[in-house]
Amino acid sequence: MAHHSSKFSGWLLVGIPILAIIGLIVWSATRPNPGEKISNQGNRHLESETESHEPYNFKPPTSGPHVGKAPWGVSSKQIPDEVQVHNLEDGGVIVHYDPAKVTSSTIQELEGTVKPFFLKGKNIILEPYAEMESPITVTAWTRMLKLPSADAAAIEEFINAYIGIDHHVRGQ
């Protein structure tokens, strides 16, 4: 009888890790990847905001040359593209609204969505961003979600999918 139980425990030792690996593969393939994928423009560091560099492939940018870092939280002013890209590299998510396309009540809704993340110490910014294609755009490193309105559920799903993922290139 002992012979059968040792065979069974041997199968458990092999089977459980295999099942865990299969579960991890299924989970990673089925977890949400909200927004669209934007091609990576790299992590080049600039000497200043005014240093010339190749144009960003999207506005607001989701990767590329950058410098400095903006404070996390709610900003009343548009943050220079070169600065906000560094925040994205650090695993941040930025919620941008076009002040010409949203109302003050929409901005308040967005603040209500963003502030709980900020209060939990998450790397998040809410900022005005002029002349965007959509009224609201949420960005993370190489990811972008364009929204016609302050869709809290969609914004939270995007934030939860990408916040906190560091994108520094090893050796930099």
Side-chain angles (χ1 to χ4, degrees), residues 59-101:
K59 292 268 184 181
T62 63
S63 66
H66 58 275
V67 67
K69 189 172 167 182
W72 303 110
V74 176
S75 175
S76 59
K77 294 189 174 113
Q78 183 170 328
I79 299 163
D81 289 348
E82 293 78 9
V83 174
Q84 58 180 272
V85 169
H86 195 179
N87 287 74
L88 299 179
E89 182 187 39
D90 286 347
V93 172
I94 303 176
V95 180
H96 316 264
Y97 60 88
D98 189 328
K101 296 179 182 173

Side-chain angles (χ1 to χ4, degrees), residues 11-27:
W11 279 106
L12 283 178
L13 285 172
V14 172
I16 289 175
I18 289 172
L19 287 174
I21 291 167
I22 291 168
L24 191 62
I25 291 168
V26 169
W27 174 81

Side-chain angles (χ1 to χ4, degrees), residues 24-144:
L24 191 62
I25 291 168
V26 169
W27 174 81
S28 66
T30 58
R31 72 184 182 127
N33 290 317
E36 60 185 290
K37 178 92 171 111
I38 307 296
S39 61
N40 191 336
Q41 289 191 281
N43 300 54
R44 187 166 67 89
H45 287 246
L46 302 171
E47 294 299 316
S48 72
E49 287 175 33
T50 57
E51 181 181 334
S52 68
H53 60 82
E54 64 276 13
Y56 292 112
N57 55 3
F58 274 91
K59 292 268 184 181
T62 63
S63 66
H66 58 275
V67 67
K69 189 172 167 182
W72 303 110
V74 176
S75 175
S76 59
K77 294 189 174 113
Q78 183 170 328
I79 299 163
D81 289 348
E82 293 78 9
V83 174
Q84 58 180 272
V85 169
H86 195 179
N87 287 74
L88 299 179
E89 182 187 39
D90 286 347
V93 172
I94 303 176
V95 180
H96 316 264
Y97 60 88
D98 189 328
K101 296 179 182 173
V102 300
T103 63
S104 58
S105 65
T106 298
I107 297 167
Q108 288 175 329
E109 282 180 62
L110 292 171
E111 285 180 6
T113 302
V114 166
K115 277 188 177 173
F117 289 95
F118 177 69
L119 293 174
K120 290 179 191 165
K122 302 291 185 180
N123 294 350
I124 190 149
I125 292 174
L126 173 65
E127 67 142 4
Y129 196 100
E131 300 176 16
M132 287 192 303
E133 191 178 301
S134 59
I136 297 163
T137 300
V138 190
T139 57
W141 189 259
T142 69
R143 302 300 298 194
M144 177 179 283

Side-chain angles (χ1 to χ4, degrees), residues 2-17:
H3 179 64
H4 288 294
S5 66
S6 66
K7 237 184 191 178
F8 180 71
S9 61
W11 279 106
L12 283 178
L13 285 172
V14 172
I16 289 175

